[in-house]
Amino acid sequence: MHDELLTRANTWLGEDPDPETRDELAKLIEAGDTAELEERFSGTLQFGTAGLRGELGAGPMRMNRSVVIRAAAGLAAYLNAKGERGGLVVIGYDARHKSADFARDTAAVMTGAGFRAAVLPRPLPTPVLAYAIRHLGAVAGVEVTASHNPPRDNGYKVYLGDGSQIVPPADAEIAAEIDAIVSLDDVPRPEAGWEILDDSVLNSYLARTEAVLAAGSPHTARTVYTAMHGVGKDVLLAAFARAGFPEPVLVAEQAEPDPDFPTVAFPNPEEPGAMDLAFAKARATEPDLIIANDPDADRCAVAVRDGGDWRMLRGDEVGALLAAHLVRRGARGTFAESIVSSSLLGRIAEKAGLPYEETLTGFKWIARVEGLRYGYEEALGYCVDPDGVRDKDGITAALLITELASELKEEGRALPDLLDDLAVEHGLHATDQLSVRVEDLSVIARAMRQLREQPPTELAGLAITRAEDLTRGTEKLPPTDGLRYTLDGARVIVRPSGTEPKLKCYLEVVVPAATHADLPAAHATANDLLAAIKRDLSAAAGI
């Protein structure tokens, strides 16, 4: 075995505070598994604007206690350099494998670095942590979660004192402080000294959730709810009870936290099959809508009866419905979304005379929009109470969509009826995604290179009227790795995912529909166009 690799592995082994990963690494060294060791020691898990996310295991390229302690020490050094020493750092965590350990390690490191550390009392939704930062006046917050990633993953999300996730240059500055840590022995980690919070922060968050609803609005819609084996159930049920909605019918098999996510291939409501149990429960109980949270409950999925059966609404559809609802209620302030989300939001805002902004992908950007009243992203993320939670929040979004469903129910209508109204008013905005999951990340780099070197001139027979390479930035957007094509009546954005090994292509077509009677033909046209764009884009990217 390579001497230098062996030395690095043994040094890591000597510092590792976790018996499980120590044992795992010792076995790899003993077995002389060079290939596996080379993969785990080929670099370090990179800290970026999404913080850290990766597979659990031993070594610097995996998520483990050693990596988390370094990350926490780097964050502490960054905060000290910014003059925040002695401030409060609040820490939340989900129910994944090792999450509680990573939260405790972070509290120990922060305490050792001279900060006051406070840990939420148990696994709770990410929005509770995002709320707690501003509510408690913290200088930073950490959420230990891998959101809707596979069971073998975990992650580490960092917020600063404004209550929103980090953006450049903070990510690079924290990463530099992490890199500067020579040995874990240099990181003080006391055994005690931090606070475990009681339920007062959660109760304050729950009291705040009621403020998203209009006084005197009907609360009659009946829901089926799945927590997707995550941490959303208790908080959502408490929020619904406070608001006076009928108690949601639970998908029992997915109601309790389970880090192995036994009933789903991926614990993401958008993934095929993830909602099957919820659909079965809805067929048996006939509710007005289905609500699903992802495992850390910052996203909200909605399904409706449409024709003879149930279907998931796209994030863009829910985004438009919530926007229309807020406009109808007289909301003022800026409506914002990421560039990969439907342009329908801009049309709704314009008609209502409201300011509208587009940002880069991610709530770390949406939450920073000045005067934000409502923000959403197509990946099931909605910020409906930016003064309370400057991030996506699957609990308050669930309350607001259920309020809208209740109002429509009183009128003898349902969510699909309002979508039809919006299509007639603004044109049918149909969206789809071409998403390619890869084992080898070079496939993504190759596809992006091919599109840049041999850009398509048309897709689905529609001429590309404008092609933008977003790495150069635009007047309103900082640089990001992505391509945007504007077509006559369509739009395509291609970008590598920031959190998963995926190439994502976001497609939108706009088809006019003068009356409700024109909608079936408009839907058929839109579906044909989206399928053709997918086909042509796949060919152009070589995927």
Side-chain angles (χ1 to χ4, degrees), residues 392-415:
K392 54 188 178 291
D393 182 346
I395 305 295
T396 49
L399 286 170
L400 199 62
I401 198 74
T402 308
E403 177 184 63
L404 172 57
S406 298
E407 286 187 3
L408 291 167
K409 185 178 181 178
E410 300 297 297
E411 299 165 13
R413 284 155 43 89
L415 295 173

Side-chain angles (χ1 to χ4, degrees), residues 434-501:
L434 171 62
S435 184
V436 184
R437 187 181 287 274
V438 299
E439 293 293 321
D440 177 3
L441 288 175
S442 71
V443 173
I444 294 176
R446 194 162 59 243
M448 294 298 286
R449 188 168 63 246
Q450 184 163 318
L451 287 170
R452 286 190 170 107
E453 290 172 359
Q454 299 167 305
T457 54
E458 62 167 46
L459 295 168
L462 301 174
I464 291 175
T465 55
R466 190 174 178 204
E468 298 166 277
D469 188 339
L470 298 175
T471 50
R472 302 190 181 110
T474 71
E475 269 179 46
K476 292 199 159 187
L477 298 171
T480 187
D481 186 9
L483 298 162
R484 177 161 63 179
Y485 303 115
T486 305
L487 301 90
D488 187 17
R491 184 214 63 195
V492 173
I493 292 173
V494 184
R495 61 178 279 273
S497 168
T499 54
E500 297 175 275

Side-chain angles (χ1 to χ4, degrees), residues 184-256:
L184 285 195
D185 298 336
D186 303 335
V187 181
R189 300 198 307 280
E191 289 293 312
W194 55 90
E195 182 186 358
I196 305 294
L197 294 165
D198 60 18
D199 274 351
S200 58
V201 171
L202 174 61
N203 291 336
S204 174
Y205 166 83
L206 283 168
R208 173 97 205 174
T209 62
E210 291 176 63
V212 307
L213 302 172
S217 64
H219 292 179
T220 52
R222 293 165 48 253
T223 53
V224 158
Y225 172 71
T226 175
M228 207 62 69
H229 300 296
V231 298
K233 182 197 71 168
D234 291 348
V235 178
L236 182 128
L237 289 181
F240 270 57
R242 289 178 82 114
F245 284 113
E247 186 177 346
V249 174
L250 298 179
V251 177
E253 301 93 327
Q254 298 174 333
E256 299 304 328

Side-chain angles (χ1 to χ4, degrees), residues 92-97 99-100 122-124 126 143-147 154-155 231 261 295-296:
Y93 60 102
D94 67 10
R96 282 177 179 266
H97 293 296
S99 286
R122 59 188 169 280
L124 285 167
T126 293
E143 176 70 19
V144 180
T145 181
S147 188
N154 212 329
V231 298
F261 305 106
D296 68 327

Side-chain angles (χ1 to χ4, degrees), residues 407-431:
E407 286 187 3
L408 291 167
K409 185 178 181 178
E410 300 297 297
E411 299 165 13
R413 284 155 43 89
L415 295 173
D417 297 315
L418 181 53
L419 285 173
D420 287 348
D421 293 351
L422 292 171
V424 171
E425 190 175 356
H426 303 287
L428 173 65
H429 288 62
T431 56

